[in-house]
Amino acid sequence: MEIPHIYYHPQFRRSFLDLSSDIQRAAKAKIILFKNNPFNAVLKTHRLHGKLKNHWSFTVKGQYRTIFIFEKNSVILLDIGIHDIYK
């Protein structure tokens, strides 16, 4: 399942710019992988719980995650960062 469109929420853009260049490179690579197959095992894509129960997440590198939602046949990347983004 390939994702035809990925949209970047302003919060995602702000958080992305605050990341180190190493994490930015890892994120770009994972987003390409995600676009081609959002459930690739490397990404560890999973649905979130609680107040974020309609959101999903995938692993970027180490403790860094991306939060997103599926919107019809596209995806909106909402935020990126360490586990604190879940709060």
Side-chain angles (χ1 to χ4, degrees), residues 1-8 31-39 68-77:
M1 167 186 166
E2 185 174 326
I3 304 293
H5 301 288
I6 295 180
Y7 299 98
Y8 300 89
I31 291 169
I32 291 169
L33 189 62
F34 176 79
K35 183 171 175 37
N36 292 322
N37 178 4
F39 294 100
F68 66 94
I69 55 173
F70 288 104
E71 188 70 33
K72 297 184 182 173
N73 64 345
S74 62
V75 165
I76 303 171
L77 299 181

Side-chain angles (χ1 to χ4, degrees), residues 8-87:
Y8 300 89
H9 189 277
Q11 179 59 50
F12 179 91
R13 292 176 188 273
R14 283 190 297 273
S15 296
F16 182 85
L17 292 174
D18 288 338
L19 299 172
S20 69
S21 59
D22 178 50
I23 300 300
Q24 286 182 1
R25 279 192 301 277
K28 289 176 184 178
K30 293 292 177 80
I31 291 169
I32 291 169
L33 189 62
F34 176 79
K35 183 171 175 37
N36 292 322
N37 178 4
F39 294 100
N40 185 308
V42 171
L43 298 170
K44 300 178 185 169
T45 303
H46 60 283
R47 183 186 294 269
L48 300 176
H49 303 282
K51 67 180 181 176
L52 297 175
K53 67 181 179 181
N54 296 320
H55 296 67
W56 293 74
S57 179
F58 67 83
T59 299
V60 172
K61 182 177 182 179
Q63 61 183 344
Y64 289 87
R65 307 286 186 270
T66 295
I67 295 177
F68 66 94
I69 55 173
F70 288 104
E71 188 70 33
K72 297 184 182 173
N73 64 345
S74 62
V75 165
I76 303 171
L77 299 181
L78 299 172
D79 205 355
I80 186 170
I82 58 175
H83 277 104
D84 291 347
I85 61 175
Y86 296 138
K87 294 179 182 176

